[in-house]
Amino acid sequence: MTSPKTMRFRTGRTVEGSWRDVATLPCVGCPAKSFNVCGPLDYERQKELFEIGKAQTWARRQQLFRSGDPIGSIFKITSGIVAVSKILPDGRRQILDFFLPGDLCGFLETDRDYEFDGEAITDATTCSFDRERFMSFANRHPDVAEALHVAVADRLKRAVLHMAVLGQLTSTERVATFLCSLTVACGPRDIATNPLVLPMNRTDIADYLGLRLETVSRAFSRLRQRRFIEIDNDEFVVINRAALVEMSNSPYVN
């Protein structure tokens, strides 16, 4: 596995190694600052959390962790998108979820080894934390522990609802649900554009939705023919969101 690049922030530090002021702390300009465990933090606690982690960059298709590797870091995604997946015995891949800026990745692992694969499907950056030090920090700050609780509950809710999507919806409904949920998720994270560039390829989408690649392509064509979306290569525009939501028949898109 190719090693990620570790970014070392020196500008703004005193000779003792602490940050001079709020403006020089890299977290101030981080687009993921308001999400998850960083949301409730004031300057002093944000500085403390930052200094127990390390900022890393990951190339597209680089593995953050692999199933079977000894359990290690917890990652907060600060830019890009990471897919967490499981390879089945016959080699097929099931993507379990996509992690966007602000999300914690690798946190739910509790055994000695990673159970799943974590792959950057775009160029990505993370703040990577030693698991023991991260949990010690959370345990000392009730509001951070509560933010973790909320994040875990939301992730489990997404997993349950996704089971309903895979178990009950048609292929076109699944793709419509995916497009609706992607536009909603990207909006508050300042990564939405119009047209929205799909950050994952159609193979990724197929593996997430439990479909064949050609089935996903046909579903995109149906949605375009009905003028619900317009698509050009990997860029798409939702033309009629109300109709797309109705078509999705999704349990969690509204």
Side-chain angles (χ1 to χ4, degrees):
M1 178 173 62
T2 304
S3 299
K5 295 180 180 178
T6 300
M7 297 179 286
R8 302 186 181 277
F9 296 98
R10 298 190 181 277
T11 303
R13 283 181 179 263
T14 67
V15 291
E16 292 81 13
S18 61
W19 298 97
R20 286 201 210 71
D21 52 49
V22 174
T24 59
L25 185 65
C27 304
V28 173
C30 176
K33 166 69 178 74
S34 60
F35 293 93
N36 216 298
V37 294
C38 296
L41 298 181
D42 55 23
Y43 166 69
E44 290 297 331
R45 293 191 299 162
Q46 184 72 73
K47 179 179 71 172
E48 180 185 356
L49 179 61
F50 179 79
E51 291 184 341
I52 68 173
K54 58 184 177 182
Q56 294 181 289
T57 61
W58 307 84
R60 181 176 180 269
R61 299 300 168 185
Q62 188 174 1
Q63 296 277 346
L64 282 69
F65 51 89
R66 294 181 186 274
S67 175
D69 285 351
I71 197 166
S73 298
I74 293 171
F75 306 90
K76 181 174 179 181
I77 313 302
T78 53
S79 70
I81 298 181
V82 172
V84 170
S85 63
K86 184 69 174 178
I87 303 297
L88 303 181
D90 64 1
R92 288 178 295 170
R93 177 182 66 157
Q94 176 64 52
I95 291 181
L96 305 173
D97 212 346
F98 295 105
F99 289 72
L100 306 181
D103 290 338
L104 284 179
C105 184
F107 175 71
L108 293 179
E109 305 277 5
T110 57
D111 296 326
R112 296 172 61 90
D113 301 325
Y114 285 111
E115 181 69 26
F116 308 108
D117 296 319
E119 178 188 25
I121 61 168
T122 66
D123 290 342
T125 60
T126 63
C127 277
S128 307
F129 302 99
D130 174 83
R131 189 172 300 267
E132 184 174 341
R133 297 182 69 187
F134 180 85
M135 294 309 302
S136 175
F137 178 85
N139 290 335
R140 286 186 281 111
H141 301 287
D143 53 350
V144 176
E146 175 61 20
L148 277 176
H149 172 78
V150 171
V152 171
D154 179 66
R155 189 62 58 180
L156 292 175
K157 178 182 177 181
R158 283 175 52 87
V160 171
L161 292 173
H162 191 55
M163 289 174 61
V165 170
L166 298 184
Q168 297 298 324
L169 301 190
T170 67
S171 59
T172 304
E173 288 172 338
R174 294 185 207 183
V175 172
T177 293
F178 173 76
L179 294 178
C180 288
S181 63
L182 184 64
T183 57
V184 170
C186 289
R189 300 168 195 260
D190 295 328
I191 55 176
T193 57
N194 190 20
L196 182 66
V197 179
L198 285 171
M200 59 286 294
N201 61 36
R202 295 192 185 189
T203 299
D204 294 327
I205 297 171
D207 288 349
Y208 179 59
L209 297 177
L211 300 171
R212 294 183 179 275
L213 176 59
E214 56 269 25
T215 304
V216 170
S217 295
R218 286 195 296 268
F220 272 111
S221 296
R222 292 190 196 101
L223 295 174
R224 184 178 184 180
Q225 290 167 1
R226 299 185 67 169
R227 299 291 297 163
F228 293 168
I229 64 171
E230 187 55 61
I231 192 162
D232 181 19
N233 293 323
D234 287 331
E235 296 183 344
F236 81 94
V237 179
V238 176
I239 298 174
N240 189 339
R241 188 175 190 280
L244 190 64
V245 170
E246 183 177 1
M247 155 71 74
S248 74
N249 199 29
S250 169
Y252 62 99
V253 174
N254 51 48

